[in-house]
PDB file of all heavy atoms in Angstrom:
ATOM      1  N   ARG A 240      77.238  77.228 147.556  1.00  0.00           N
ATOM      2  CA  ARG A 240      78.378  77.879 146.860  1.00  0.00           C
ATOM      3  C   ARG A 240      78.275  78.320 145.478  1.00  0.00           C
ATOM      4  O   ARG A 240      79.129  78.922 144.887  1.00  0.00           O
ATOM      5  CB  ARG A 240      79.569  76.996 147.053  1.00  0.00           C
ATOM      6  CG  ARG A 240      79.342  75.671 146.512  1.00  0.00           C
ATOM      7  CD  ARG A 240      80.424  74.624 146.801  1.00  0.00           C
ATOM      8  NE  ARG A 240      81.515  74.623 146.022  1.00  0.00           N
ATOM      9  CZ  ARG A 240      82.639  73.794 146.161  1.00  0.00           C
ATOM     10  NH1 ARG A 240      82.611  72.887 147.187  1.00  0.00           N
ATOM     11  NH2 ARG A 240      83.642  73.870 145.459  1.00  0.00           N
ATOM     12  N   ILE A 241      77.020  78.168 144.846  1.00  0.00           N
ATOM     13  CA  ILE A 241      76.814  78.514 143.556  1.00  0.00           C
ATOM     14  C   ILE A 241      75.581  79.481 143.453  1.00  0.00           C
ATOM     15  O   ILE A 241      74.523  79.349 144.045  1.00  0.00           O
ATOM     16  CB  ILE A 241      76.426  77.219 142.670  1.00  0.00           C
ATOM     17  CG1 ILE A 241      77.622  76.312 142.620  1.00  0.00           C
ATOM     18  CG2 ILE A 241      76.066  77.657 141.249  1.00  0.00           C
ATOM     19  CD1 ILE A 241      77.308  75.013 141.838  1.00  0.00           C
ATOM     20  N   SER A 242      75.817  80.595 142.799  1.00  0.00           N
ATOM     21  CA  SER A 242      74.824  81.738 142.913  1.00  0.00           C
ATOM     22  C   SER A 242      73.808  81.441 141.702  1.00  0.00           C
ATOM     23  O   SER A 242      74.256  80.894 140.636  1.00  0.00           O
ATOM     24  CB  SER A 242      75.376  83.046 142.576  1.00  0.00           C
ATOM     25  OG  SER A 242      76.274  83.123 141.511  1.00  0.00           O
ATOM     26  N   GLY A 243      72.670  81.867 141.840  1.00  0.00           N
ATOM     27  CA  GLY A 243      71.711  81.759 140.726  1.00  0.00           C
ATOM     28  C   GLY A 243      70.585  82.669 140.941  1.00  0.00           C
ATOM     29  O   GLY A 243      70.390  83.251 142.075  1.00  0.00           O
ATOM     30  N   ASP A 244      69.596  82.679 140.095  1.00  0.00           N
ATOM     31  CA  ASP A 244      68.388  83.456 140.297  1.00  0.00           C
ATOM     32  C   ASP A 244      67.146  82.900 139.408  1.00  0.00           C
ATOM     33  O   ASP A 244      67.489  82.049 138.624  1.00  0.00           O
ATOM     34  CB  ASP A 244      68.561  84.934 139.885  1.00  0.00           C
ATOM     35  CG  ASP A 244      68.982  85.063 138.414  1.00  0.00           C
ATOM     36  OD1 ASP A 244      68.138  85.012 137.544  1.00  0.00           O
ATOM     37  OD2 ASP A 244      70.137  85.466 138.223  1.00  0.00           O
ATOM     38  N   PHE A 245      65.947  83.184 139.802  1.00  0.00           N
ATOM     39  CA  PHE A 245      64.863  82.593 139.122  1.00  0.00           C
ATOM     40  C   PHE A 245      64.927  82.773 137.584  1.00  0.00           C
ATOM     41  O   PHE A 245      64.561  81.825 136.809  1.00  0.00           O
ATOM     42  CB  PHE A 245      63.621  83.156 139.715  1.00  0.00           C
ATOM     43  CG  PHE A 245      62.349  82.711 139.072  1.00  0.00           C
ATOM     44  CD1 PHE A 245      61.742  81.451 139.354  1.00  0.00           C
ATOM     45  CD2 PHE A 245      61.741  83.409 138.020  1.00  0.00           C
ATOM     46  CE1 PHE A 245      60.599  80.959 138.745  1.00  0.00           C
ATOM     47  CE2 PHE A 245      60.634  83.012 137.293  1.00  0.00           C
ATOM     48  CZ  PHE A 245      60.057  81.681 137.726  1.00  0.00           C
ATOM     49  N   PHE A 246      65.257  83.958 137.163  1.00  0.00           N
ATOM     50  CA  PHE A 246      65.124  84.153 135.696  1.00  0.00           C
ATOM     51  C   PHE A 246      66.255  83.369 134.925  1.00  0.00           C
ATOM     52  O   PHE A 246      65.976  82.753 133.858  1.00  0.00           O
ATOM     53  CB  PHE A 246      65.370  85.718 135.363  1.00  0.00           C
ATOM     54  CG  PHE A 246      65.383  86.143 133.989  1.00  0.00           C
ATOM     55  CD1 PHE A 246      64.217  86.384 133.350  1.00  0.00           C
ATOM     56  CD2 PHE A 246      66.605  86.108 133.345  1.00  0.00           C
ATOM     57  CE1 PHE A 246      64.226  86.767 131.961  1.00  0.00           C
ATOM     58  CE2 PHE A 246      66.645  86.536 131.952  1.00  0.00           C
ATOM     59  CZ  PHE A 246      65.470  86.834 131.333  1.00  0.00           C
ATOM     60  N   SER A 247      67.404  83.360 135.508  1.00  0.00           N
ATOM     61  CA  SER A 247      68.453  82.617 134.804  1.00  0.00           C
ATOM     62  C   SER A 247      68.177  81.067 134.828  1.00  0.00           C
ATOM     63  O   SER A 247      68.420  80.389 133.783  1.00  0.00           O
ATOM     64  CB  SER A 247      69.773  82.799 135.558  1.00  0.00           C
ATOM     65  OG  SER A 247      70.157  84.223 135.514  1.00  0.00           O
ATOM     66  N   ASP A 248      67.624  80.575 135.888  1.00  0.00           N
ATOM     67  CA  ASP A 248      67.318  79.160 136.044  1.00  0.00           C
ATOM     68  C   ASP A 248      66.083  78.864 135.150  1.00  0.00           C
ATOM     69  O   ASP A 248      66.146  77.761 134.496  1.00  0.00           O
ATOM     70  CB  ASP A 248      67.078  78.795 137.428  1.00  0.00           C
ATOM     71  CG  ASP A 248      68.237  78.874 138.379  1.00  0.00           C
ATOM     72  OD1 ASP A 248      69.403  79.017 137.832  1.00  0.00           O
ATOM     73  OD2 ASP A 248      68.063  78.942 139.602  1.00  0.00           O
ATOM     74  N   ALA A 249      65.089  79.664 135.090  1.00  0.00           N
ATOM     75  CA  ALA A 249      63.963  79.363 134.296  1.00  0.00           C
ATOM     76  C   ALA A 249      64.238  79.373 132.823  1.00  0.00           C
ATOM     77  O   ALA A 249      63.729  78.494 132.066  1.00  0.00           O
ATOM     78  CB  ALA A 249      62.900  80.454 134.507  1.00  0.00           C
ATOM     79  N   PHE A 250      65.214  80.122 132.267  1.00  0.00           N
ATOM     80  CA  PHE A 250      65.616  80.197 130.850  1.00  0.00           C
ATOM     81  C   PHE A 250      66.850  79.428 130.669  1.00  0.00           C
ATOM     82  O   PHE A 250      67.287  79.507 129.491  1.00  0.00           O
ATOM     83  CB  PHE A 250      65.604  81.619 130.389  1.00  0.00           C
ATOM     84  CG  PHE A 250      64.276  82.349 130.367  1.00  0.00           C
ATOM     85  CD1 PHE A 250      63.819  83.072 131.465  1.00  0.00           C
ATOM     86  CD2 PHE A 250      63.492  82.252 129.189  1.00  0.00           C
ATOM     87  CE1 PHE A 250      62.573  83.619 131.397  1.00  0.00           C
ATOM     88  CE2 PHE A 250      62.220  82.857 129.161  1.00  0.00           C
ATOM     89  CZ  PHE A 250      61.882  83.592 130.107  1.00  0.00           C
ATOM     90  N   TYR A 251      67.350  78.697 131.687  1.00  0.00           N
ATOM     91  CA  TYR A 251      68.548  78.039 131.456  1.00  0.00           C
ATOM     92  C   TYR A 251      69.633  78.657 130.758  1.00  0.00           C
ATOM     93  O   TYR A 251      70.227  78.194 129.626  1.00  0.00           O
ATOM     94  CB  TYR A 251      68.149  76.674 130.692  1.00  0.00           C
ATOM     95  CG  TYR A 251      69.256  75.555 131.034  1.00  0.00           C
ATOM     96  CD1 TYR A 251      69.399  75.212 132.265  1.00  0.00           C
ATOM     97  CD2 TYR A 251      69.690  74.892 129.946  1.00  0.00           C
ATOM     98  CE1 TYR A 251      70.324  74.045 132.593  1.00  0.00           C
ATOM     99  CE2 TYR A 251      70.547  73.828 130.123  1.00  0.00           C
ATOM    100  CZ  TYR A 251      71.003  73.458 131.393  1.00  0.00           C
ATOM    101  OH  TYR A 251      71.752  72.424 131.678  1.00  0.00           O
ATOM    102  N   LEU A 252      70.049  79.807 131.262  1.00  0.00           N
ATOM    103  CA  LEU A 252      71.006  80.797 130.590  1.00  0.00           C
ATOM    104  C   LEU A 252      72.343  80.134 130.726  1.00  0.00           C
ATOM    105  O   LEU A 252      72.588  79.252 131.589  1.00  0.00           O
ATOM    106  CB  LEU A 252      70.923  82.201 131.256  1.00  0.00           C
ATOM    107  CG  LEU A 252      69.690  82.933 131.108  1.00  0.00           C
ATOM    108  CD1 LEU A 252      69.647  84.299 131.663  1.00  0.00           C
ATOM    109  CD2 LEU A 252      69.243  83.040 129.560  1.00  0.00           C
ATOM    110  N   PRO A 253      73.357  80.648 129.997  1.00  0.00           N
ATOM    111  CA  PRO A 253      74.640  79.916 129.969  1.00  0.00           C
ATOM    112  C   PRO A 253      75.353  79.735 131.347  1.00  0.00           C
ATOM    113  O   PRO A 253      75.914  78.759 131.750  1.00  0.00           O
ATOM    114  CB  PRO A 253      75.529  80.884 129.161  1.00  0.00           C
ATOM    115  CG  PRO A 253      74.516  81.611 128.118  1.00  0.00           C
ATOM    116  CD  PRO A 253      73.307  81.640 129.010  1.00  0.00           C
ATOM    117  N   TRP A 254      75.145  80.739 132.220  1.00  0.00           N
ATOM    118  CA  TRP A 254      75.873  80.707 133.580  1.00  0.00           C
ATOM    119  C   TRP A 254      75.134  79.644 134.487  1.00  0.00           C
ATOM    120  O   TRP A 254      75.743  79.106 135.345  1.00  0.00           O
ATOM    121  CB  TRP A 254      75.983  81.961 134.366  1.00  0.00           C
ATOM    122  CG  TRP A 254      74.707  82.913 134.331  1.00  0.00           C
ATOM    123  CD1 TRP A 254      73.692  82.843 135.270  1.00  0.00           C
ATOM    124  CD2 TRP A 254      74.402  83.899 133.324  1.00  0.00           C
ATOM    125  NE1 TRP A 254      72.750  83.817 134.918  1.00  0.00           N
ATOM    126  CE2 TRP A 254      73.148  84.456 133.753  1.00  0.00           C
ATOM    127  CE3 TRP A 254      75.003  84.353 132.189  1.00  0.00           C
ATOM    128  CZ2 TRP A 254      72.537  85.526 133.038  1.00  0.00           C
ATOM    129  CZ3 TRP A 254      74.404  85.370 131.537  1.00  0.00           C
ATOM    130  CH2 TRP A 254      73.189  85.941 131.931  1.00  0.00           C
ATOM    131  N   THR A 255      73.758  79.433 134.156  1.00  0.00           N
ATOM    132  CA  THR A 255      73.161  78.361 134.810  1.00  0.00           C
ATOM    133  C   THR A 255      73.694  76.905 134.489  1.00  0.00           C
ATOM    134  O   THR A 255      73.937  76.057 135.169  1.00  0.00           O
ATOM    135  CB  THR A 255      71.610  78.364 134.533  1.00  0.00           C
ATOM    136  OG1 THR A 255      71.102  79.514 134.928  1.00  0.00           O
ATOM    137  CG2 THR A 255      70.912  77.220 135.142  1.00  0.00           C
ATOM    138  N   ARG A 256      74.066  76.803 133.107  1.00  0.00           N
ATOM    139  CA  ARG A 256      74.656  75.578 132.661  1.00  0.00           C
ATOM    140  C   ARG A 256      76.013  75.340 133.291  1.00  0.00           C
ATOM    141  O   ARG A 256      76.426  74.303 133.652  1.00  0.00           O
ATOM    142  CB  ARG A 256      74.691  75.561 131.186  1.00  0.00           C
ATOM    143  CG  ARG A 256      73.331  75.492 130.438  1.00  0.00           C
ATOM    144  CD  ARG A 256      73.370  75.164 129.032  1.00  0.00           C
ATOM    145  NE  ARG A 256      74.008  76.194 128.211  1.00  0.00           N
ATOM    146  CZ  ARG A 256      73.273  77.242 127.692  1.00  0.00           C
ATOM    147  NH1 ARG A 256      71.969  77.209 127.957  1.00  0.00           N
ATOM    148  NH2 ARG A 256      73.843  78.150 126.984  1.00  0.00           N
ATOM    149  N   ARG A 257      76.706  76.538 133.406  1.00  0.00           N
ATOM    150  CA  ARG A 257      78.179  76.448 133.938  1.00  0.00           C
ATOM    151  C   ARG A 257      77.928  76.050 135.439  1.00  0.00           C
ATOM    152  O   ARG A 257      78.737  75.305 135.944  1.00  0.00           O
ATOM    153  CB  ARG A 257      78.874  77.813 133.893  1.00  0.00           C
ATOM    154  CG  ARG A 257      79.327  78.121 132.463  1.00  0.00           C
ATOM    155  CD  ARG A 257      80.364  79.234 132.519  1.00  0.00           C
ATOM    156  NE  ARG A 257      79.858  80.519 132.835  1.00  0.00           N
ATOM    157  CZ  ARG A 257      79.199  81.323 131.996  1.00  0.00           C
ATOM    158  NH1 ARG A 257      79.053  81.015 130.711  1.00  0.00           N
ATOM    159  NH2 ARG A 257      78.749  82.496 132.396  1.00  0.00           N
ATOM    160  N   ASN A 258      76.942  76.568 136.084  1.00  0.00           N
ATOM    161  CA  ASN A 258      76.760  76.249 137.548  1.00  0.00           C
ATOM    162  C   ASN A 258      76.482  74.713 137.717  1.00  0.00           C
ATOM    163  O   ASN A 258      76.990  74.009 138.596  1.00  0.00           O
ATOM    164  CB  ASN A 258      75.655  77.008 138.246  1.00  0.00           C
ATOM    165  CG  ASN A 258      76.015  78.532 138.501  1.00  0.00           C
ATOM    166  OD1 ASN A 258      77.288  78.806 138.519  1.00  0.00           O
ATOM    167  ND2 ASN A 258      75.110  79.320 138.687  1.00  0.00           N
ATOM    168  N   GLU A 259      75.649  74.181 136.739  1.00  0.00           N
ATOM    169  CA  GLU A 259      75.292  72.754 136.804  1.00  0.00           C
ATOM    170  C   GLU A 259      76.476  71.874 136.694  1.00  0.00           C
ATOM    171  O   GLU A 259      76.782  70.990 137.247  1.00  0.00           O
ATOM    172  CB  GLU A 259      74.300  72.486 135.787  1.00  0.00           C
ATOM    173  CG  GLU A 259      72.885  72.896 136.150  1.00  0.00           C
ATOM    174  CD  GLU A 259      71.823  72.347 135.353  1.00  0.00           C
ATOM    175  OE1 GLU A 259      72.259  71.569 134.391  1.00  0.00           O
ATOM    176  OE2 GLU A 259      70.566  72.591 135.554  1.00  0.00           O
ATOM    177  N   LYS A 260      77.414  72.309 135.722  1.00  0.00           N
ATOM    178  CA  LYS A 260      78.647  71.564 135.442  1.00  0.00           C
ATOM    179  C   LYS A 260      79.613  71.612 136.693  1.00  0.00           C
ATOM    180  O   LYS A 260      80.209  70.734 137.028  1.00  0.00           O
ATOM    181  CB  LYS A 260      79.384  72.175 134.280  1.00  0.00           C
ATOM    182  CG  LYS A 260      78.636  71.825 132.877  1.00  0.00           C
ATOM    183  CD  LYS A 260      79.418  72.377 131.751  1.00  0.00           C
ATOM    184  CE  LYS A 260      78.681  71.968 130.396  1.00  0.00           C
ATOM    185  NZ  LYS A 260      79.288  72.552 129.246  1.00  0.00           N
ATOM    186  N   THR A 261      79.688  72.763 137.328  1.00  0.00           N
ATOM    187  CA  THR A 261      80.439  72.942 138.475  1.00  0.00           C
ATOM    188  C   THR A 261      79.966  72.086 139.578  1.00  0.00           C
ATOM    189  O   THR A 261      80.698  71.314 140.277  1.00  0.00           O
ATOM    190  CB  THR A 261      80.515  74.436 138.934  1.00  0.00           C
ATOM    191  OG1 THR A 261      81.065  75.149 137.923  1.00  0.00           O
ATOM    192  CG2 THR A 261      81.270  74.582 140.250  1.00  0.00           C
ATOM    193  N   ALA A 262      78.661  72.004 139.755  1.00  0.00           N
ATOM    194  CA  ALA A 262      78.021  71.139 140.803  1.00  0.00           C
ATOM    195  C   ALA A 262      78.263  69.724 140.534  1.00  0.00           C
ATOM    196  O   ALA A 262      78.746  69.041 141.507  1.00  0.00           O
ATOM    197  CB  ALA A 262      76.458  71.411 140.988  1.00  0.00           C
ATOM    198  N   ASP A 263      78.114  69.264 139.346  1.00  0.00           N
ATOM    199  CA  ASP A 263      78.487  67.916 138.947  1.00  0.00           C
ATOM    200  C   ASP A 263      79.973  67.520 139.275  1.00  0.00           C
ATOM    201  O   ASP A 263      80.263  66.474 139.783  1.00  0.00           O
ATOM    202  CB  ASP A 263      78.134  67.627 137.523  1.00  0.00           C
ATOM    203  CG  ASP A 263      76.546  67.461 137.267  1.00  0.00           C
ATOM    204  OD1 ASP A 263      75.994  67.254 138.167  1.00  0.00           O
ATOM    205  OD2 ASP A 263      76.222  67.742 136.094  1.00  0.00           O
ATOM    206  N   ARG A 264      80.866  68.550 138.858  1.00  0.00           N
ATOM    207  CA  ARG A 264      82.204  68.165 139.025  1.00  0.00           C
ATOM    208  C   ARG A 264      82.589  68.051 140.504  1.00  0.00           C
ATOM    209  O   ARG A 264      83.376  67.164 140.968  1.00  0.00           O
ATOM    210  CB  ARG A 264      83.072  69.313 138.353  1.00  0.00           C
ATOM    211  CG  ARG A 264      84.662  69.108 138.372  1.00  0.00           C
ATOM    212  CD  ARG A 264      85.254  70.016 137.395  1.00  0.00           C
ATOM    213  NE  ARG A 264      84.951  71.343 137.709  1.00  0.00           N
ATOM    214  CZ  ARG A 264      84.186  72.185 136.969  1.00  0.00           C
ATOM    215  NH1 ARG A 264      83.726  71.810 135.772  1.00  0.00           N
ATOM    216  NH2 ARG A 264      84.093  73.524 137.195  1.00  0.00           N
ATOM    217  N   THR A 265      82.067  69.057 141.306  1.00  0.00           N
ATOM    218  CA  THR A 265      82.391  69.027 142.724  1.00  0.00           C
ATOM    219  C   THR A 265      81.662  67.804 143.412  1.00  0.00           C
ATOM    220  O   THR A 265      82.437  67.077 144.122  1.00  0.00           O
ATOM    221  CB  THR A 265      81.745  70.268 143.369  1.00  0.00           C
ATOM    222  OG1 THR A 265      82.234  71.437 142.802  1.00  0.00           O
ATOM    223  CG2 THR A 265      81.954  70.223 144.916  1.00  0.00           C
ATOM    224  N   ALA A 266      80.568  67.463 143.093  1.00  0.00           N
ATOM    225  CA  ALA A 266      79.818  66.309 143.670  1.00  0.00           C
ATOM    226  C   ALA A 266      80.692  65.016 143.408  1.00  0.00           C
ATOM    227  O   ALA A 266      80.804  64.133 144.225  1.00  0.00           O
ATOM    228  CB  ALA A 266      78.437  66.198 143.199  1.00  0.00           C
ATOM    229  N   ASN A 267      81.057  64.892 142.104  1.00  0.00           N
ATOM    230  CA  ASN A 267      81.785  63.540 141.645  1.00  0.00           C
ATOM    231  C   ASN A 267      83.085  63.522 142.310  1.00  0.00           C
ATOM    232  O   ASN A 267      83.568  62.455 142.637  1.00  0.00           O
ATOM    233  CB  ASN A 267      81.777  63.510 140.167  1.00  0.00           C
ATOM    234  CG  ASN A 267      80.578  62.995 139.555  1.00  0.00           C
ATOM    235  OD1 ASN A 267      80.222  61.784 139.672  1.00  0.00           O
ATOM    236  ND2 ASN A 267      79.828  63.968 138.830  1.00  0.00           N
ATOM    237  N   GLU A 268      83.836  64.662 142.505  1.00  0.00           N
ATOM    238  CA  GLU A 268      85.070  64.621 143.182  1.00  0.00           C
ATOM    239  C   GLU A 268      84.958  64.136 144.501  1.00  0.00           C
ATOM    240  O   GLU A 268      85.688  63.337 145.051  1.00  0.00           O
ATOM    241  CB  GLU A 268      85.773  65.997 143.157  1.00  0.00           C
ATOM    242  CG  GLU A 268      87.149  66.157 143.642  1.00  0.00           C
ATOM    243  CD  GLU A 268      87.173  66.312 145.158  1.00  0.00           C
ATOM    244  OE1 GLU A 268      86.308  67.174 145.636  1.00  0.00           O
ATOM    245  OE2 GLU A 268      88.044  65.757 145.776  1.00  0.00           O
ATOM    246  N   ILE A 269      83.942  64.670 145.264  1.00  0.00           N
ATOM    247  CA  ILE A 269      83.845  64.285 146.690  1.00  0.00           C
ATOM    248  C   ILE A 269      83.369  62.878 146.796  1.00  0.00           C
ATOM    249  O   ILE A 269      83.765  62.164 147.719  1.00  0.00           O
ATOM    250  CB  ILE A 269      82.846  65.226 147.291  1.00  0.00           C
ATOM    251  CG1 ILE A 269      83.349  66.687 147.440  1.00  0.00           C
ATOM    252  CG2 ILE A 269      82.371  64.741 148.798  1.00  0.00           C
ATOM    253  CD1 ILE A 269      82.524  67.695 147.913  1.00  0.00           C
ATOM    254  N   ILE A 270      82.489  62.444 145.933  1.00  0.00           N
ATOM    255  CA  ILE A 270      82.057  60.950 145.848  1.00  0.00           C
ATOM    256  C   ILE A 270      83.190  60.106 145.770  1.00  0.00           C
ATOM    257  O   ILE A 270      83.370  59.042 146.378  1.00  0.00           O
ATOM    258  CB  ILE A 270      81.010  60.758 144.759  1.00  0.00           C
ATOM    259  CG1 ILE A 270      79.677  61.218 145.247  1.00  0.00           C
ATOM    260  CG2 ILE A 270      80.889  59.363 144.379  1.00  0.00           C
ATOM    261  CD1 ILE A 270      78.580  61.168 144.158  1.00  0.00           C
ATOM    262  N   ASP A 271      84.136  60.422 144.789  1.00  0.00           N
ATOM    263  CA  ASP A 271      85.375  59.612 144.680  1.00  0.00           C
ATOM    264  C   ASP A 271      86.330  59.674 145.890  1.00  0.00           C
ATOM    265  O   ASP A 271      86.796  58.620 146.353  1.00  0.00           O
ATOM    266  CB  ASP A 271      86.181  60.039 143.443  1.00  0.00           C
ATOM    267  CG  ASP A 271      85.466  59.671 142.129  1.00  0.00           C
ATOM    268  OD1 ASP A 271      84.704  58.722 142.124  1.00  0.00           O
ATOM    269  OD2 ASP A 271      85.802  60.438 141.165  1.00  0.00           O
ATOM    270  N   TYR A 272      86.346  60.873 146.514  1.00  0.00           N
ATOM    271  CA  TYR A 272      87.259  61.080 147.605  1.00  0.00           C
ATOM    272  C   TYR A 272      86.754  60.221 148.828  1.00  0.00           C
ATOM    273  O   TYR A 272      87.542  59.704 149.675  1.00  0.00           O
ATOM    274  CB  TYR A 272      87.189  62.541 148.053  1.00  0.00           C
ATOM    275  CG  TYR A 272      88.092  62.867 149.193  1.00  0.00           C
ATOM    276  CD1 TYR A 272      89.471  62.925 149.079  1.00  0.00           C
ATOM    277  CD2 TYR A 272      87.443  63.234 150.456  1.00  0.00           C
ATOM    278  CE1 TYR A 272      90.216  63.145 150.254  1.00  0.00           C
ATOM    279  CE2 TYR A 272      88.119  63.462 151.473  1.00  0.00           C
ATOM    280  CZ  TYR A 272      89.595  63.505 151.437  1.00  0.00           C
ATOM    281  OH  TYR A 272      90.439  63.810 152.482  1.00  0.00           O
ATOM    282  N   LEU A 273      85.494  60.056 149.002  1.00  0.00           N
ATOM    283  CA  LEU A 273      84.812  59.315 150.107  1.00  0.00           C
ATOM    284  C   LEU A 273      84.622  57.876 149.851  1.00  0.00           C
ATOM    285  O   LEU A 273      83.860  57.129 150.478  1.00  0.00           O
ATOM    286  CB  LEU A 273      83.640  60.054 150.657  1.00  0.00           C
ATOM    287  CG  LEU A 273      83.942  61.369 151.420  1.00  0.00           C
ATOM    288  CD1 LEU A 273      82.668  61.981 151.904  1.00  0.00           C
ATOM    289  CD2 LEU A 273      84.958  61.150 152.593  1.00  0.00           C
ATOM    290  N   GLY A 274      84.980  57.391 148.614  1.00  0.00           N
ATOM    291  CA  GLY A 274      84.831  56.001 148.185  1.00  0.00           C
ATOM    292  C   GLY A 274      83.360  55.609 148.017  1.00  0.00           C
ATOM    293  O   GLY A 274      82.983  54.444 148.233  1.00  0.00           O
ATOM    294  N   LEU A 275      82.623  56.514 147.451  1.00  0.00           N
ATOM    295  CA  LEU A 275      81.170  56.258 147.220  1.00  0.00           C
ATOM    296  C   LEU A 275      80.885  56.008 145.703  1.00  0.00           C
ATOM    297  O   LEU A 275      79.668  55.916 145.251  1.00  0.00           O
ATOM    298  CB  LEU A 275      80.307  57.376 147.753  1.00  0.00           C
ATOM    299  CG  LEU A 275      80.318  57.540 149.218  1.00  0.00           C
ATOM    300  CD1 LEU A 275      79.724  58.959 149.564  1.00  0.00           C
ATOM    301  CD2 LEU A 275      79.407  56.429 149.789  1.00  0.00           C
ATOM    302  N   ARG A 276      81.853  55.783 144.811  1.00  0.00           N
ATOM    303  CA  ARG A 276      81.532  55.750 143.438  1.00  0.00           C
ATOM    304  C   ARG A 276      80.663  54.626 143.138  1.00  0.00           C
ATOM    305  O   ARG A 276      79.879  54.633 142.220  1.00  0.00           O
ATOM    306  CB  ARG A 276      83.002  55.619 142.722  1.00  0.00           C
ATOM    307  CG  ARG A 276      82.826  55.395 141.215  1.00  0.00           C
ATOM    308  CD  ARG A 276      82.010  56.483 140.383  1.00  0.00           C
ATOM    309  NE  ARG A 276      82.540  57.753 140.702  1.00  0.00           N
ATOM    310  CZ  ARG A 276      81.718  58.896 140.374  1.00  0.00           C
ATOM    311  NH1 ARG A 276      80.478  58.745 139.940  1.00  0.00           N
ATOM    312  NH2 ARG A 276      82.199  60.057 140.706  1.00  0.00           N
ATOM    313  N   ASP A 277      80.867  53.356 143.768  1.00  0.00           N
ATOM    314  CA  ASP A 277      80.146  52.186 143.446  1.00  0.00           C
ATOM    315  C   ASP A 277      78.612  52.358 143.669  1.00  0.00           C
ATOM    316  O   ASP A 277      77.778  51.602 143.110  1.00  0.00           O
ATOM    317  CB  ASP A 277      80.601  51.040 144.194  1.00  0.00           C
ATOM    318  CG  ASP A 277      81.964  50.552 143.653  1.00  0.00           C
ATOM    319  OD1 ASP A 277      82.404  50.992 142.501  1.00  0.00           O
ATOM    320  OD2 ASP A 277      82.647  49.729 144.375  1.00  0.00           O
ATOM    321  N   VAL A 278      78.282  53.318 144.562  1.00  0.00           N
ATOM    322  CA  VAL A 278      76.897  53.572 144.939  1.00  0.00           C
ATOM    323  C   VAL A 278      76.338  54.896 144.498  1.00  0.00           C
ATOM    324  O   VAL A 278      75.247  55.354 144.834  1.00  0.00           O
ATOM    325  CB  VAL A 278      76.631  53.326 146.316  1.00  0.00           C
ATOM    326  CG1 VAL A 278      76.871  51.942 146.831  1.00  0.00           C
ATOM    327  CG2 VAL A 278      77.472  54.352 147.262  1.00  0.00           C
ATOM    328  N   ALA A 279      77.131  55.633 143.557  1.00  0.00           N
ATOM    329  CA  ALA A 279      76.666  56.934 143.248  1.00  0.00           C
ATOM    330  C   ALA A 279      75.355  57.070 142.610  1.00  0.00           C
ATOM    331  O   ALA A 279      74.637  58.152 142.855  1.00  0.00           O
ATOM    332  CB  ALA A 279      77.661  57.572 142.240  1.00  0.00           C
ATOM    333  N   THR A 280      74.808  56.094 141.921  1.00  0.00           N
ATOM    334  CA  THR A 280      73.548  56.073 141.229  1.00  0.00           C
ATOM    335  C   THR A 280      72.523  55.421 142.048  1.00  0.00           C
ATOM    336  O   THR A 280      71.284  55.276 141.689  1.00  0.00           O
ATOM    337  CB  THR A 280      73.674  55.528 139.830  1.00  0.00           C
ATOM    338  OG1 THR A 280      74.067  54.271 139.924  1.00  0.00           O
ATOM    339  CG2 THR A 280      74.657  56.337 138.941  1.00  0.00           C
TER     340      THR A 280
END
C-alpha cells in the first residue's frame, strides 16, 4: 500500500522517510489491535 522507487529509496528522500513512518504507524496499530504488543520485538 506504499509506493516507492529505487532512486527514492537509495537516496532516502523525504517521501521515503514518510513512507517508513506510515509503515511503522500502521504496523504498530495492528499489533496493538491483535494483542501482540508484548511480543512485538
Side-chain angles (χ1 to χ4, degrees):
R240 56 196 271 181
I241 295 175
S242 60
D244 59 75
F245 175 81
F246 181 85
S247 300
D248 294 344
F250 288 93
Y251 202 53
L252 297 180
W254 47 87
T255 298
R256 293 194 291 273
R257 285 196 297 270
N258 284 345
E259 285 192 357
K260 289 180 180 178
T261 298
D263 284 339
R264 184 167 58 249
T265 298
N267 278 291
E268 184 272 324
I269 293 170
I270 281 172
D271 288 335
Y272 181 74
L273 290 181
L275 292 166
R276 176 53 56 194
D277 289 346
V278 296
T280 59

